[in-house]
Amino acid sequence: MNVTIHDTLTEEAREIRKKVFIDEQGFQDEYDETDNRSVHFVLSDNGLPVATCRVFREHNMDAYTLGRLAVIREYRGKNIGSLLMQEAEKYVKSQGGTAIILHSQCRASGFYEKLGFVKFGDIEDDQGCPHIWMKKELSMKKETSIIKETSIIKETSIKKETSMKITIIHGQSHQGSTCHIARSLARKLGGEVTEFFLPRDFCEFCVGCTACFAVSETKCPHYARLSPITQALDDADVIILASPVYVYHATGAMKAFLDHYGWRWMVHRPEPKMFSKQAVCISTAAGAGMKSTNRDMADSTFFWGVAKTYRYGAAVMETSWKRVSRKKKHKIDRQLALLARKIQKNHGHVRPSLKTKLFFHAMRLMQRCGWNPADTDYWKAQGWSGKKRPW
C-alpha cells in the first residue's frame, strides 16, 4: 500500500468518488469548487487506486476539514479507510494543523468515533442523507508515514531526510494562482512554513530618508513593523517570494516591501545567514511577464547574498485558479516536484555562486575605502575586511 498526495483532483480520485458517491449512493453534486483548493489523497494497492479523500484549510484557521473519504467496494473491511485517515492526519500535523473537522454521514459516524472523532452540532440533511459534524483534536506526537514516492508525475509529497524552515512572502493579500503554487511548492518541500501577505502584513512605502543606510536600520520609521518578517527571513532555509504579474512587473506591495531591505544589499550590510540560503521567485500571469517579474524579486535575493535563487513562472492563462485547466495544473505540479527535488538536494550544503563571490569581493574592496562609516564598521565587525567570509 502507498499513498500519494496531489494539489488537483486526479482522474484516479475522481473515478473512485464517482463509483462510491454517485453510482452506489446516488449523490448528484459530487464535484465542487472546494476540490480546487484541496489536497487530494489517493491510496493504491500495487498500483491500483482503491481509496481517496480530500483535505483543505479554511483561511486563518488551524483546523483542517477532511471530506469525500471513499473506498471502492472490493477493499472495504480491510482497514483501508483507517490507513488513509492516518495519513491525512499526519499531513495535517505536518502543516501545523491542530484539529480535523469532518461532515460525516450519520451511518458512518461510528467509524470516525473509533478513530477519536467526537460529534458536535445538529444532524443536517445533505442531498437527502443525514450528516453530523465531527471533530478530532490532534496531538503533536511524531509518527511514521506510509507515504512513498511513486512517480514524479503523480506525487506531491516528497520524501525528506531533513526538515526545512520555509518563509513565503506573498505579493498580494488574496489567495490566487500565485499563492496556490507557492504553497504547493512549500508542501512538497515539507517542514515549517511561515507566510506573510502583502499589503495585509506590511503596507508601508519607503520614505527615502536614507537613515537605514547612513546610520542604522533601526532608524527606519517602519523598522518595528517589519521586524517579524525580517526574523522569519533570517530563520528560513528557503525563502519564497511570490508575486502575480502586474503590468510586466512585481506587485507594488512586493516592490515596497523589497525597498525596505536596501540596507541589506551587499553594498551595505548583508546578513551572513543569507549566504547559505536558497530562494525561489514565483510569478504567474494570464499572459506574459513572468520573466521580468521574477527578475524584480531575484535582484534582491542576489544582492542580499542568497546562495541560490530559482525562478519559476507559470502562464496560467486565467485570472482565477479555479478556472485554470486540469491539464495545466498537472503540468505545474510535475514541474514543482522537480524543483522541490533540486532544493532538497542542495539543502544544508548550498554555496554562493562565483558571481556572488566576485561581487562580494568588489564590495569588500570598496568597504576598505571607508566611504560609509556605518557599513565599514559592520564589515570590520564581521571580519570580512580581513580573511573571513560569510560562506
Side-chain angles (χ1 to χ4, degrees), residues 1-13:
M1 299 287 181
N2 72 284
V3 176
T4 52
I5 311 177
H6 311 263
D7 286 328
T8 57
L9 179 61
T10 65
E11 288 301 325
E12 295 88 348

Side-chain angles (χ1 to χ4, degrees), residues 261-366:
Y261 287 106
W263 60 274
R264 278 203 160 189
W265 281 33
M266 280 188 277
V267 68
H268 294 292
R269 300 186 296 279
E271 165 58 43
K273 294 178 182 177
M274 291 292 164
F275 293 87
S276 60
K277 296 183 186 296
Q278 299 182 84
V280 187
C281 298
I282 296 174
S283 63
T284 66
M290 292 82 71
K291 184 176 180 180
S292 54
T293 298
N294 281 334
R295 184 169 56 243
D296 288 342
M297 299 181 286
D299 281 347
S300 283
T301 61
F302 170 76
F303 286 109
W304 290 350
V306 171
K308 177 70 175 178
T309 296
Y310 308 85
R311 307 182 191 195
Y312 181 80
V316 294
M317 309 306 292
E318 271 292 354
T319 56
S320 170
W321 180 250
K322 297 177 183 177
R323 295 193 297 269
V324 175
S325 70
R326 187 180 305 134
K327 180 179 179 181
K328 189 169 291 292
K329 286 180 177 178
H330 280 307
K331 179 180 179 181
I332 291 171
D333 191 64
R334 292 195 299 269
Q335 292 172 336
L336 293 180
L338 291 170
L339 176 57
R341 287 176 181 273
K342 292 180 182 179
I343 296 171
Q344 289 181 326
K345 183 178 180 181
N346 288 326
H347 177 50
H349 51 80
V350 65
R351 294 291 182 269
S353 66
L354 178 61
K355 180 181 176 181
T356 298
K357 291 180 178 180
L358 289 174
F359 191 83
F360 180 90
H361 179 67
M363 296 303 99
R364 173 176 168 270
L365 295 177
M366 184 180 70

Side-chain angles (χ1 to χ4, degrees), residues 26-311:
F27 289 94
Q28 298 300 316
D29 300 327
E30 172 53 25
Y31 311 110
D32 56 25
E33 64 86 23
T34 302
D35 284 325
N36 295 326
R37 57 190 178 93
S38 300
V39 292
H40 301 267
F41 293 71
V42 177
L43 188 150
S44 301
D45 180 23
N46 293 322
L48 174 67
V50 299
T52 187
C53 70
R54 72 182 186 188
V55 173
F56 62 94
R57 179 189 180 189
E58 295 293 354
H59 185 50
N60 288 335
M61 289 182 63
D62 291 330
Y64 282 67
T65 300
L66 183 146
R68 301 301 200 268
L69 175 64
V71 180
I72 63 174
R73 187 191 301 272
E74 297 81 358
Y75 277 79
R76 291 173 199 161
K78 298 182 180 181
N79 207 36
I80 299 298
S82 297
L83 284 174
L84 192 56
M85 288 293 293
Q86 290 172 17
E87 292 306 311
E89 184 174 315
K90 290 165 192 172
Y91 168 82
V92 171
K93 287 181 180 180
S94 75
Q95 300 302 304
T98 60
I100 295 177
I101 297 172
L102 55 84
H103 204 211
S104 168
Q105 295 181 22
C106 288
R107 62 192 175 195
S109 61
F111 165 77
Y112 294 110
E113 286 178 322
K114 291 178 181 178
L115 297 177
F117 285 82
V118 178
K119 298 176 182 177
F120 70 93
D122 299 323
I123 294 176
E124 301 173 351
D125 180 84
D126 185 352
Q127 298 186 54
C129 180
H131 280 65
I132 184 72
W133 284 103
M134 304 185 76
K135 184 176 183 179
K136 180 178 180 179
E137 301 289 345
L138 302 180
S139 66
M140 290 295 106
K141 181 180 178 181
K142 293 184 179 179
E143 300 179 78
T144 303
S145 175
I146 66 167
I147 294 179
K148 298 179 181 179
E149 296 185 54
T150 55
S151 68
I152 295 175
I153 293 178
K154 291 185 179 180
E155 72 171 358
T156 295
S157 180
I158 297 178
K159 192 174 181 180
K160 307 175 291 298
E161 294 183 357
T162 56
S163 180
M164 298 184 190
K165 287 188 176 182
I166 304 160
T167 294
I168 308 176
I169 309 297
H170 298 279
Q172 59 184 10
S173 294
H174 71 270
Q175 299 174 25
S177 297
T178 320
C179 176
H180 277 81
I181 291 173
R183 284 178 166 176
S184 175
L185 177 61
R187 283 195 296 267
K188 287 171 166 55
L189 292 173
E192 178 184 338
V193 179
T194 303
E195 297 179 282
F196 297 93
F197 289 84
L198 310 174
R200 186 191 71 188
D201 296 319
F202 186 78
C203 61
E204 307 294 344
F205 288 95
C206 174
V207 297
C209 66
T210 72
C212 63
F213 297 142
V215 185
S216 168
E217 65 275 12
T218 61
K219 300 300 181 182
C220 172
H222 311 135
Y223 175 78
R225 186 169 186 187
L226 194 62
S227 289
I229 306 181
T230 304
Q231 187 62 55
L233 292 173
D234 290 347
D235 291 343
D237 298 301
V238 178
I239 297 170
I240 299 177
L241 301 179
S243 173
V245 175
Y246 280 16
V247 291
Y248 267 63
H249 290 284
T251 65
M254 179 64 77
K255 175 65 166 61
F257 167 75
L258 295 174
D259 284 346
H260 283 78
Y261 287 106
W263 60 274
R264 278 203 160 189
W265 281 33
M266 280 188 277
V267 68
H268 294 292
R269 300 186 296 279
E271 165 58 43
K273 294 178 182 177
M274 291 292 164
F275 293 87
S276 60
K277 296 183 186 296
Q278 299 182 84
V280 187
C281 298
I282 296 174
S283 63
T284 66
M290 292 82 71
K291 184 176 180 180
S292 54
T293 298
N294 281 334
R295 184 169 56 243
D296 288 342
M297 299 181 286
D299 281 347
S300 283
T301 61
F302 170 76
F303 286 109
W304 290 350
V306 171
K308 177 70 175 178
T309 296
Y310 308 85
R311 307 182 191 195

